[in-house]
Amino acid sequence: MSVVAYTVAFDGIDARLVEVQCAVAPGLPAFAIVGLPDKAVSEARERVRAALGAMAIALPSKRITINLSPADMPKEGSHFDLPIALAVLAALDIIPREAVAGTVALGELSLDGALVPVVGALPAAMAASVDDRTLMCPAACGAEAAWVDAVSVIAPRSLAEAVQHFSGQTILPAATPGEVSAASGARDLAEVKGQERAKRALEIAAAGRHHLLMVGSPGSGKSMLAARIPGIMPPLTPGEALETSMIHSLAGLLDEGGISRSRPFREPHHTASMAAIVGGGRGAKPGEISLAHNGVLFMDEFPEFPRTVLETLRQPIETGEVVVARANAHVRYPCRFMLVAAANPCKCGYLADPARACARVPICGEDYLGRISGPLMDRFDLRVEVPPVAFTDLDLPECADRSEHVATRVAAARQIQAARFADHRGMQVNADAQGAVLDEIAAPDAEGRDLLTRVAERFGLSARGYHRVLRVARTIADLDASISVRHPHVAEAVSYRLAMSKEV
C-alpha cells in the first residue's frame, strides 16, 4: 500500500496539485522517481538520502518507488524534495500518514537537512487553500505564503523540525504575513523643467492606463519623465497586489515575503531577448511584460529593440495576456501593462536641430522610426514630441505641480473608472473599454463627434485609432470630472493621436 503526500507543479501563475505516492516493497535496494521528473527532480533522491542520513535515519534495503501523479504532467524544480522526503518518512511510519496526506509541501533540501527557499510559495498557498489543506514550506517562504488567509502555513527551518511537528514533539506556530513593502521615495515630477505637454500626457496615460510614445532628441528628458511615472500611479488594489505578487513569486522577486502595493515599473534594456521580454526559457518563466502586470513597462531606445521582439508586443497589448508556447508546454501569463516607449527622432538623434542634422535628413528619421511598424504604432494612444530644453531654462524654479498633486488627480480619475466598470467583468480602466460599453461611456457631444468625424476622414484613422481616441477623450473628461465627453476633450485626444502619426 502506497503512502500519499501532496505538492504542486506550476502552470503559469496556476499551481496544480500533484500526488507524491511512495511505495516500499521487497526487492533489490533502489530509489526510483517516476512521473516525468526533470533533472532537478530526479536528483532529489540523493538530496533526500543525504538529509535523512544527517538525521540518523537509514533507508531500508528495499525498493523505494516515488510516483508523481498525474504522470503525464511535466515536473520541474527542486521544490519536490520536501514532499518526497515526507512521503518516504510516512511510508516508514516515522511520521503519521494522515498528517502528511493533509499537507501540501514544497521546499528544497540541503545535504544537512536544512530547507532552502524556493519560488512559487504564494501560488502554492492558493492551491492549498482551494483543496483545504495545510501548506508546509521553508521558513524563508512562510511570510510570503501566509498572505493567503484561507490556508494555515507551517514553515520549518529544516526537515528535522518538520518531523518533530508531525510527530507532535514540537508543534510549530502558523507563519504570519510579511510586512507590506513601503513605497520607496519616488522622484518628483516638479524636478523636470519645462515639458508641460509631456507631463500632461503622462498624467492622462496614468489615469487611463494608455500606452505612450515619447520622441525627442538625446537629453531632452524622456527617461527623466518616465522615471517619475511611479510617483503619480495609484497604489495597487488588494486583488491586484495579490495577482501581481503571484507572478513575482514565480520569478523569485518577493523580498522576505513582503507584498508591495506600489505598481511595478520595469525597464528592460534594448538588448533583451524575446524570452526575456515575453517569457520563456527554462520552465517558460514570466517575461518583462508579465512582471509589469498592473504596472508600467518602460522601453527606452524603442526602435533599437529587435524587430521580432517589438512585433510580439502587439497581441499582448490587445488581449492583456501572453501564451508562452513550447514543445512540451503552453503557459499563460497575464500582462495588463501600460507601455511607455521613448525614442530618438533618428539614428543620430538631432533630426530637428539644423545645426546638427546630418545630410540624410529626412530619410534618416523615416528609416529610424520606420523600425516601428504601422500596426504597433497604431497601438499607442498618446504620442508626444519632447523638445530639447534650453540651458537658460535649467535655472528656473521647480514647477508648482508636484507628483503628489498629479497623483491625487490620477487617483480621483481611477476611482471614477472603478465605479463605472464595477459591473463589467474584465474592465478596470478606460483602456479596457470596448464595443457597446465604449459607445455608451465615451459618446462625445455633437461638436466633439463632428470634429472626430472630420479628423477620421481627413487623416484616415483606422477603426482601432478611432476607438483609442474615444478612450483617451473619456479619460481626459474623467480628469476634468466631467460626466460627458465634450469637444475640448476630443480635441486634446486627437492632438496626441496625430502627433508623429503615420496616418498623417
Side-chain angles (χ1 to χ4, degrees):
M1 177 177 165
S2 63
V3 175
V4 177
Y6 290 91
T7 186
V8 294
F10 298 109
D11 182 15
I13 63 171
D14 299 323
R16 297 188 178 183
L17 212 63
V18 173
E19 283 190 6
V20 181
Q21 304 164 357
C22 178
V24 180
L28 293 175
F31 193 158
I33 300 177
V34 297
L36 280 185
D38 72 345
K39 185 66 173 176
V41 180
S42 298
E43 292 173 346
R45 59 177 175 266
E46 301 304 330
R47 291 190 293 272
V48 169
R49 192 192 305 273
L52 293 179
M55 297 172 57
I57 298 176
L59 293 177
S61 298
K62 295 183 178 181
R63 182 174 184 83
I64 300 174
T65 304
I66 300 292
N67 178 44
L68 307 176
S69 177
D72 59 347
M73 180 192 302
K75 317 300 188 306
E76 299 178 346
S78 60
H79 66 275
F80 286 87
D81 290 6
L82 179 58
I84 290 175
L86 295 179
V88 170
L89 289 170
L92 299 178
D93 292 323
I94 295 176
I95 55 178
R97 301 186 178 191
E98 298 78 10
V100 171
T103 303
V104 174
L106 76 164
E108 177 185 334
L109 285 171
S110 63
L111 298 184
D112 61 356
L115 284 173
V116 179
V118 292
V119 300
L122 194 56
M126 296 288 291
S129 67
V130 170
D131 209 49
D132 196 24
R133 299 179 189 273
T134 300
L135 178 73
M136 177 170 283
C137 61
C141 303
E144 172 188 334
W147 279 104
V148 181
D149 294 334
V151 65
S152 175
V153 178
I154 305 300
R157 291 186 295 270
S158 64
L159 181 60
E161 286 191 3
V163 171
Q164 292 170 1
H165 173 80
F166 280 122
S167 61
Q169 300 176 30
T170 305
I171 302 298
L172 297 174
T176 56
E179 292 295 327
V180 177
S181 303
S184 58
R187 299 171 183 174
D188 202 312
L189 200 61
E191 298 170 354
V192 181
K193 306 296 178 65
Q195 309 297 7
E196 298 306 319
R197 181 170 171 80
K199 292 178 184 177
R200 172 66 172 170
L202 287 183
E203 181 178 344
I204 297 171
R209 207 185 72 219
H210 301 292
H211 306 302
L212 168 66
L213 171 64
M214 297 182 288
V215 176
S217 57
S220 58
K222 303 183 297 296
S223 299
M224 189 176 184
L225 285 162
R228 279 143 183 84
I229 293 177
I232 65 174
M233 296 289 285
L236 293 167
T237 64
E240 289 176 335
L242 186 60
E243 187 179 31
T244 302
S245 296
M246 288 175 68
I247 301 174
H248 289 190
S249 174
L250 288 173
L253 298 180
L254 293 188
D255 185 18
E256 298 181 358
I259 292 181
S260 175
R261 294 288 297 275
S262 300
R263 293 188 179 271
F265 183 82
R266 307 291 300 183
E267 42 185 341
H269 193 262
H270 63 262
T271 57
S273 66
M274 184 184 299
I277 299 295
V278 180
R282 183 178 179 275
K285 295 300 183 183
E288 291 291 336
I289 63 174
S290 295
L291 296 175
H293 181 57
N294 291 322
V296 178
L297 177 67
F298 174 51
M299 301 180 73
D300 201 3
E301 305 295 345
F302 194 61
E304 296 291 346
F305 281 84
R307 179 68 177 265
T308 53
V309 172
L310 294 182
E311 293 306 304
T312 56
L313 296 176
R314 287 161 51 179
Q315 184 177 359
I317 285 175
E318 293 292 333
T319 62
E321 63 180 17
V322 60
V323 178
V324 181
R326 294 294 180 268
N328 62 344
H330 285 68
V331 181
R332 190 180 304 271
Y333 291 110
C335 58
R336 290 190 304 274
F337 58 91
M338 184 178 93
L339 175 61
V340 177
N344 295 328
C346 62
K347 186 69 175 178
C348 65
Y350 300 103
L351 180 69
D353 190 341
R356 300 186 183 183
C358 66
R360 297 185 64 244
V361 171
I363 298 176
C364 62
E366 295 175 356
D367 290 346
Y368 190 67
L369 290 181
R371 299 178 184 180
I372 308 174
S373 68
L376 181 57
M377 181 71 80
D378 200 33
R379 285 164 168 79
F380 283 104
D381 305 304
L382 303 164
R383 307 162 190 173
V384 60
E385 294 188 27
V386 185
V389 179
F391 69 90
T392 54
D393 294 338
L394 298 179
D395 293 331
L396 295 175
E398 289 187 353
C399 175
D401 207 7
R402 307 185 67 85
S403 287
E404 56 184 316
H405 304 146
V406 178
T408 300
R409 296 196 295 267
V410 169
R414 284 287 183 109
Q415 290 176 0
I416 293 173
Q417 295 168 60
R420 175 184 299 137
F421 297 116
D423 298 328
H424 295 85
R425 185 177 180 182
M427 297 184 187
Q428 300 174 346
V429 291
N430 290 331
D432 299 327
Q434 55 186 333
V437 175
L438 178 61
D439 294 337
E440 177 185 350
I441 68 171
D445 59 12
E447 292 184 17
R449 183 169 294 280
D450 180 63
L451 171 63
L452 188 53
T453 301
R454 286 188 282 113
V455 168
E457 292 176 351
R458 170 66 178 82
F459 298 106
L461 283 181
S462 66
R464 180 189 291 116
Y466 183 89
H467 289 143
R468 287 184 179 274
V469 169
L470 288 178
R471 295 187 185 108
V472 173
R474 179 64 266 179
T475 299
I476 295 172
D478 290 340
L479 287 169
D480 200 24
S482 174
I483 297 177
S484 61
V485 177
R486 296 183 283 107
H487 178 269
H489 306 141
V490 176
E492 185 176 3
V494 166
S495 71
Y496 289 114
R497 181 71 193 180
L498 297 184
M500 302 167 294
S501 177
K502 294 188 177 182
E503 296 148 348
V504 178

